[in-house]
Amino acid sequence: MAYELIETIEVGAGGAASIEFTSIPQDGVDLVLVTSLRSSTTSNAAFLVLNDASVTGKYLYGSGSVADSYTSGWGLMSTPSSATANTPSSTGTYISNYTSATAHSVSVDAVTENNATAVTMTLNAGISTSTTAVTNLKINAAVTFVQYSTASLYKIY
Amino acid sequence: MANKSLQHSSLTDNIFYRSMLAGNDAYFPEFESDDFLEEVVLSSSASSVTFSGLASYATAGYKHLQIRAISRTDRGSFSDNVSITINGNSGANYSWHYLFSNSSSPISSGSTSQNAMSGMFTAGSTAAANAFGSLVADFLDFNNSSTNTTMRALSGYNDPANTGRIALGSGLFVNTSAVSSIAIAPRFGTNYVTGSRFSLYGSKG
């Protein structure tokens, strides 16, 4: 199994409403996405989109004080602006068999941090409605991701 | 980088090969991005393990670091926690949280203004014999000197007699310095026991 960088995108000054990987090479088996994100607002949302199709699913959730599970609000996580300054999230995303013409299964483990009780921690299982090979991957912010937010996309073959 | 070795030859297979490959797979240089960097395997007990000089990995193009460990401590319990400090800093500059279960309903909790990151679990001395806990901890964008360091970890162990533990953990180092060293230690025990293994991997970015 080899693990090869496709691209890293870092958000510059002024922020960005989304981070997008286009023309993803089709010579891999699985994709791994790692993201370090911070939001310009109090939203912790970061939505994963494969080929213009949203990914939805279920997740186990921890808030720093409460644990629960949910079926709505699935996504990657971005540290909200209300958390400790300059603190990004940390998320690992695995997309299986991305060149196949089937719905793509996605697993995510994600955390936001904060020098306070309130955080967001999730273990996610999702699926994309797209049934074509993944050539485009986009991460949408609730409003914008701030400077120094980064996303690295790797292929495994 | 993957290891490649010759599996076939005319001498060992007793076959006359017309190809110079002699039945071996062709070797194509791989441009791998997830590389093994270094490892510590304890041949005697140790109170901590430190990976230092990490700036050199940033210079070599690595953007993200990952520690993969199996460990067991001398704490007189079936369970211990893992502590991580950054850049030799042991001030009250850390917070940590976890989403955790030991076969009952999951729990989420944490602590702030701590002297180390934690929220990760490993086996103690009364866990099943030779049972080691496992840990995978990620440090993204570790050389960025404009952001604090956020860690994400999956950890746990199985101890049938006392229920195992599994956790998604997070840690924060409230300091924007680039990460130059990472130290790992038992939170409650004194030492990691012989055979504990700590491996450092890097991902290009």
Side-chain angles (χ1 to χ4, degrees):
Chain A
M1 182 176 76
Y3 195 93
E4 183 178 328
L5 175 69
I6 295 174
E7 186 181 8
T8 289
I9 298 173
E10 180 169 319
V11 174
S18 64
I19 296 171
E20 185 171 16
F21 298 91
T22 59
S23 303
I24 295 171
Q26 297 297 297
D27 56 350
V29 177
D30 301 329
L31 293 174
V32 171
L33 173 71
V34 294
T35 57
S36 176
L37 305 171
R38 186 176 174 89
S39 301
S40 62
T41 70
T42 55
S43 171
N44 62 7
F47 304 102
L48 179 64
V49 178
L50 303 178
N51 295 340
D52 296 323
S54 296
V55 179
T56 58
K58 298 174 170 40
Y59 60 98
L60 182 63
Y61 162 84
S63 68
S65 58
V66 173
D68 211 333
S69 61
Y70 295 98
T71 57
S72 63
W74 194 98
L76 314 182
M77 289 297 158
S78 178
T79 301
S81 59
S82 52
T84 304
N86 304 313
T87 302
S89 67
S90 176
T91 298
T93 301
Y94 202 97
I95 303 165
S96 303
N97 208 14
Y98 75 97
T99 60
S100 69
T102 58
H104 303 285
S105 296
V106 179
S107 65
V108 180
D109 52 287
V111 301
T112 69
E113 254 299 339
N114 189 13
N115 194 25
T117 300
V119 296
T120 303
M121 318 177 75
T122 61
L123 291 167
N124 305 257
I127 194 163
S128 167
T129 55
S130 171
T131 55
T132 58
V134 177
T135 57
N136 186 288
L137 186 157
K138 193 173 185 181
I139 310 158
N140 287 326
V143 180
T144 54
F145 297 124
V146 303
Q147 187 179 18
Y148 305 120
S149 294
T150 65
S152 298
L153 183 65
Y154 302 85
K155 62 183 179 184
I156 294 176
Y157 59 95
Chain B
M1 181 170 289
N3 293 321
K4 302 290 183 184
S5 60
L6 296 178
Q7 303 296 318
H8 304 279
S9 74
S10 293
L11 289 175
T12 58
D13 297 348
N14 199 27
I15 296 172
F16 174 71
Y17 289 104
R18 291 187 180 279
S19 166
M20 289 291 287
L21 286 172
N24 295 288
D25 293 331
Y27 172 67
F28 299 99
E30 295 171 345
F31 301 95
E32 297 179 7
S33 301
D34 180 33
D35 292 337
F36 169 78
L37 301 178
E38 56 184 292
E39 183 173 72
V40 175
V41 182
L42 298 183
S43 56
S44 60
S45 62
S47 59
S48 66
V49 170
T50 300
F51 294 108
S52 58
L54 302 180
S56 64
Y57 294 126
T59 302
Y62 293 98
K63 191 170 182 67
H64 312 301
L65 296 177
Q66 184 177 75
I67 292 173
R68 306 174 192 172
I70 59 166
S71 66
R72 180 181 174 104
T73 81
D74 62 1
R75 184 190 185 198
S77 168
F78 56 86
S79 175
D80 203 345
N81 293 30
V82 177
S83 288
I84 290 181
T85 51
I86 306 291
N87 297 348
N89 188 313
S90 57
N93 301 310
Y94 300 87
S95 67
W96 52 265
H97 299 82
Y98 60 70
L99 175 60
F100 149 86
S101 181
N102 61 355
S103 78
S104 59
S105 297
I107 295 167
S108 184
S109 187
S111 284
T112 61
S113 301
Q114 297 293 296
N115 299 109
M117 297 176 181
S118 191
M120 300 158 277
F121 295 92
T122 190
S125 67
T126 64
N130 303 313
F132 283 64
S134 63
L135 167 72
V136 179
D138 286 277
F139 300 81
L140 304 184
D141 206 9
F142 72 98
N143 198 49
N144 192 321
S145 58
S146 297
T147 59
N148 296 329
T149 299
T150 300
M151 179 214 65
R152 168 174 42 87
L154 288 168
S155 65
Y157 66 92
N158 186 28
D159 179 22
N162 299 294
T163 76
R165 295 189 174 187
I166 185 169
L168 170 64
S170 63
L172 168 64
F173 178 40
V174 188
N175 187 306
T176 58
S177 298
V179 176
S180 59
S181 70
I182 300 171
I184 310 162
R187 182 167 181 230
F188 298 114
T190 302
N191 290 309
Y192 282 118
V193 304
T194 300
S196 296
R197 177 187 296 263
F198 304 85
S199 306
L200 181 67
Y201 289 78
S203 298
K204 296 286 180 65

